[in-house]
Amino acid sequence: FPDSLFILKEKNSNLYGYYHYNGDNGLAVFSTKERAVTFAEFLPPIDILATTFNGALDIAKAIKHLTCIMLLDDLKNPLVHFVR
């Protein structure tokens, strides 16, 4: 995983973008802002926020239904890092 990541957060709420893959719900993370923008094109109004790998882990740990973070640069083969 890169040290610098981009995450999605719904405007005016505390909801973060997540992805369901192989039975796991993971915080959606991207290595570039451009990849995050492309993914978010069809979602409701979303903020794209820069964070660190450790920052993404902390967010995922704080959201009970998330089991991991998922690097979604390749949607067919996301990289998964489990937090629980």
Side-chain angles (χ1 to χ4, degrees), residues 32-77:
T32 67
K33 187 173 184 177
E34 291 76 22
R35 287 185 169 136
V37 167
T38 299
F39 184 87
E41 281 182 35
F42 303 103
L43 300 174
I46 294 283
D47 286 324
I48 297 171
L49 307 174
T51 190
T52 62
F53 175 75
N54 287 333
L57 289 177
D58 289 343
I59 292 167
K61 289 176 186 175
I63 301 171
K64 301 297 182 204
H65 74 275
L66 298 181
T67 59
C68 56
I69 63 172
M70 291 187 189
L71 183 65
L72 299 178
D73 290 351
D74 177 0
L75 290 177
K76 293 180 182 178
N77 191 27

Side-chain angles (χ1 to χ4, degrees), residues 3 5 11-12 19 29 36 38 40 53 55 57 60 69 74-75 79 81 83:
D3 288 331
L5 297 168
K11 289 185 181 284
N12 304 316
Y19 194 70
V29 301
T38 299
F53 175 75
L57 289 177
I69 63 172
D74 177 0
L75 290 177
L79 295 179
H81 183 92
V83 298

Side-chain angles (χ1 to χ4, degrees), residues 7-10 13-18 27-28 49 59 63 66:
I7 59 174
L8 310 174
K9 186 171 182 276
E10 188 175 301
S13 81
N14 284 329
L15 300 176
Y16 289 89
Y18 73 95
L27 180 69
L49 307 174
I59 292 167
I63 301 171
L66 298 181

